[in-house]
Each structure stands twice: as structure tokens, then as C-alpha cells.
Amino acid sequence: MITDGFFYIAVLVALAALMVGIENKFSSNRFLKFIPGIVLIYIGAAFLQTIGLFDNEATAPAYSTVKNALLPAMLMMMLLKCDIRSIIKLGPRMLGGYFVAVISIILGFAIVYLIFNQFYVADTWRAFGALAGSWTGGSANMVALQDILQVPENIFGYVLMMDTINYAVWVMFMFWLVPFAGAFNRWTKADTTIMDNGLAEDAGKMNDMQGTEFKHMMYLLGIGLLVSALATLAGNHLPALGDVFSSTTWTILIASVIGLILGQTRISKIPGALDVSNVMLYIIVALIASQSDFSQIAQAPIYLISGFLIMFIHLVIMLLLGKLFKYDLFTLGIASLANIGGMASAPMLAASYSRSLIPVGVVMALIGSFLGTYFGMFIGKILEIL
């Protein structure tokens, strides 16, 4: 078992490099064509954690230090050439997609609770209300709702397991869907003009990578890590707004705003930002996956089954409404992860489509951070009545 923080980080970075190499080496393979490298990294890191390679308690400081340093830096660099006007045009439809996701999650909890109510222990509705806060906002909402709904500790352990295992599988599934965006959008007949422009813009930026030099990489690393440090410092000193607008939320918001501002300066012309930010993205995904332990899947199976059924109902409703209202896969995916994944996951999924659309993930995750507690209370009340 690995207990040394540096060894832990080194193994994850080496794993990410290995998976990228496999993806590039066998890019023509039919299987790997539909399994992005980022999913391979997630599966690999989760597997290493499941077999007990990492001591989470001993490596926790290294995990939090590296992840908290790289996430703001990654978001800032990915936003350097963001087209804000395109994001504004997406507004109404993105909000519609977000509330479609919320409604589908509410229905998922209600339907599953009705079906399996007799198999649950007493007061499970309280625990599901807290979990709903996480799945419509984030983990901070769930913690707040534990006190609000007075969730018993033993039952809260079940939903913590659901929030780890079900969530991990869902995030992996969302990343796995990215290569199918074109086929899905043709099926829903979605207007993807804005997203296509973002992808074309990213392709143009990739061509600019040919001029990347050593000095450019140093500039980007220096600016990115400095912005991350300053945003973290400011976030830690800003007051929390309620139970959900934490220092982490402040940090990500500040780093994103700085990225948008720097995108209007000469800094945005530095080549290589896509490569550097992608390296950070892959390391962050490996770190997150290293906290996913699937060995607990045999414990309290009825709760895990319930979690997957809630997500299945959420998926079906999103697909049906996506077809009805002609939503693209990006909108539905970001709306879903802004609810179930929150601030850390939604922007990263947005980056997998187009880095120019990262602000959409940030804004939608912020909406969830504000409203998740109230949605959780609402769902808990519905389940109590049922």
C-alpha cells in the first residue's frame, strides 16, 4: 500500500501518461475509438484504489494540495481565449437544460422511493433528501441537509456510499458519451452552431501549438500557478455565503474571472495553453478517480441499486426532453453534471467538448451550489409525504 504522498502522485501521473500513450498508439482500434483516454485514466485510477494500492488517509494531504492547486490553474488557462458573446447566446437554453435535469432527478427520487420504500430502513427519506441536495448541487449541500433534515448517522453512511460509487460511475459515463455527441445531436436535430464554432476555434488553437516553445510553457505555468495561488488565498479569506458558497467556490469563480479578463490581453496569444491545461486536466481526473473505491459495491446493495435507478430515470427523461426540445449532448451533459457532479466536474466535462464553453459549466454549477439545499429540502418533503 502506498502511503507516501509523492509516490502516490507519481503513480497517478505515470498512469495518466500510460493511458494517453495507449490511446495514441491504438487510436485506430474500434474499442478505443469510443473510449476516450480520460475514461481510461478514470477506470485505471479507480481500479488501483479498489485493490487497495493507496492509503487515502496518508495520501490525503498530497491529494488536496495538488488538486486544489491545479484545478483553478487549469480553468484559468482554458478560458484564455473564451468567446463570452457565444456563451451569452447560450443562456436561455442552458437554463432550460439545467431545470430539465433538476426535474428528472426529482422524479427519479420519487419513483424509486415509491418502488423500494418497503425495503428501506426507517427515516431513509431524510437521507435521500440529503443525497438529493448533493445531486442537485454538491457535497456541501448534502452536509448542510444532514443537519437540516436530522439524518441518522447510520443511514447517512448509506447515502455517502451512493454519493461516491453512483456518482463515480455517472461521471465516467458522461465522459464516455463525449465521442457520440455528433450522432446524438443529429438524432435530436439540435442546433449546434455555437458549439461547433467553439470546436473550430479550439482546432485553430491546436494549430497554433506548432509554434510552442520552452518559454511559452514557462510563461503559462508561471501565470497559471500564480493565479491559482492568488485565487486560493482570496477564496480562503472571503466570507462563506450560507452553507454552500464555500472557499472552494470562491476560488474557482475568481480563477475563472481572471481567465476571462486575461483572455482580453496579450497573454491570450501565448501558444501552448491547450497542451498545458490538458496535462492538468488528466492529472486532476486521475486524482478524483483515485478516491473511488468500488469494493463497497456489495454493501447495502438496495441503496446502490436505488442510486443507479434514479440515474437511469434521470437519463431517460433527459433523452426524451432532449429529443422533444432539440437539445444537444453538451447541454444535457453539462446540466446533468452541474447537478450530480457540481463545481469540480461540470467545467471539466465542458472542457472535453470545447474549452471555450467552460464558463457554462462554471455558471451552471454555481446555480446548483445556491439551489441544491432547497431542492434537497423539497425532495425530502415529497418523500416524507410518500
Side-chain angles (χ1 to χ4, degrees):
M1 179 179 288
I2 295 175
T3 58
D4 180 73
F6 177 71
F7 194 11
Y8 161 72
I9 297 297
V11 168
L12 291 178
V13 174
L15 172 69
L18 175 63
M19 294 306 177
V20 170
I22 291 174
E23 181 187 28
N24 291 332
K25 178 74 173 178
F26 302 100
S27 57
S28 59
N29 184 282
R30 292 186 63 183
F31 174 75
L32 292 178
K33 189 176 293 185
F34 299 109
I35 304 293
I38 202 166
V39 174
L40 293 176
I41 293 170
Y42 201 105
I43 294 173
F47 173 75
L48 294 180
Q49 170 59 30
T50 301
I51 64 175
L53 184 63
F54 305 129
D55 183 337
N56 276 355
E57 189 172 336
T59 58
Y63 168 82
S64 59
T65 299
V66 176
K67 177 175 174 289
N68 293 342
L70 293 185
L71 183 58
M74 179 203 75
L75 291 174
M76 187 282 296
M77 276 191 280
M78 287 186 167
L79 289 171
L80 283 180
K81 296 185 180 179
C82 174
D83 186 353
I84 301 176
R85 290 170 297 181
S86 295
I87 303 304
I88 294 174
K89 292 177 183 177
L90 282 172
R93 284 188 64 79
M94 292 304 302
L95 286 175
Y98 172 81
F99 286 108
V100 164
V102 170
I103 292 169
S104 65
I105 291 171
I106 292 174
L107 290 175
F109 272 98
I111 293 170
V112 170
Y113 189 81
L114 275 174
I115 295 173
F116 294 110
N117 188 20
Q118 58 183 321
F119 299 104
Y120 299 138
V121 298
D123 288 331
T124 290
W125 67 269
R126 300 178 188 272
F128 275 13
L131 179 63
S134 177
W135 286 3
T136 55
S139 298
N141 304 79
M142 181 170 68
V143 173
L145 283 162
Q146 181 188 16
D147 289 332
I148 294 172
L149 298 175
Q150 298 181 340
V151 183
E153 290 293 340
N154 61 321
I155 309 176
F156 192 64
Y158 293 143
V159 296
L160 278 175
M161 182 175 59
M162 294 169 68
D163 196 42
T164 299
I165 296 175
N166 294 135
Y167 158 76
V169 172
W170 189 253
V171 171
M172 187 168 60
F173 178 63
M174 288 291 101
F175 278 107
W176 175 76
L177 286 177
V178 173
F180 300 95
F184 181 89
N185 296 339
R186 287 191 293 273
W187 176 66
T188 60
K189 299 179 181 178
D191 181 6
T192 60
T193 303
I194 295 176
M195 191 177 75
D196 290 341
N197 289 340
L199 292 171
E201 185 178 304
D202 282 354
K205 293 168 189 171
M206 288 183 69
N207 292 332
D208 291 341
M209 298 304 124
Q210 296 175 355
T212 304
E213 300 176 11
F214 164 75
K215 62 180 181 181
H216 300 137
M217 308 290 276
M218 285 302 301
Y219 295 158
L220 291 168
L221 280 173
I223 295 170
L225 294 178
L226 179 62
V227 168
S228 177
L230 293 174
T232 301
L233 181 65
N236 289 337
H237 285 84
L238 287 170
L241 300 179
D243 296 314
V244 296
F245 210 93
S246 64
S247 59
T248 301
T249 307
W250 276 120
T251 298
I252 292 176
L253 182 60
I254 291 169
S256 300
V257 171
I258 292 175
L260 290 173
I261 294 173
L262 292 180
Q264 314 309 311
T265 69
R266 294 180 60 184
I267 293 176
S268 65
K269 300 184 183 301
I270 300 176
L274 182 61
D275 283 345
V276 176
S277 58
N278 276 346
V279 169
M280 294 180 176
L281 171 64
Y282 278 36
I283 294 173
I284 292 169
V285 169
L287 285 166
I288 293 174
S290 71
Q291 304 297 301
S292 302
D293 185 354
F294 294 128
S295 63
Q296 301 177 17
I297 202 163
Q299 301 177 23
I302 188 62
Y303 287 90
L304 289 174
I305 292 171
S306 298
F308 285 122
L309 281 177
I310 291 170
M311 290 179 168
F312 177 74
I313 292 170
H314 164 61
L315 175 64
V316 171
I317 294 174
M318 292 285 279
L319 289 176
L320 293 175
L321 292 180
K323 176 66 173 176
L324 179 63
F325 295 109
K326 299 181 179 180
Y327 273 108
D328 57 271
L329 186 61
F330 165 79
T331 301
L332 297 179
I334 296 303
S336 177
L337 271 198
N339 281 278
I340 296 175
M343 185 63 73
S345 302
M348 288 199 299
L349 182 64
S352 297
Y353 287 93
S354 169
R355 63 176 180 169
S356 63
L357 298 174
I358 290 176
V360 175
V362 174
V363 171
M364 292 186 73
L366 280 174
I367 295 173
S369 296
F370 279 117
L371 300 180
T373 300
Y374 304 103
F375 286 133
M377 292 170 62
F378 176 66
I379 294 172
K381 189 63 178 178
I382 292 176
L383 300 185
E384 181 186 16
I385 295 172
L386 295 176

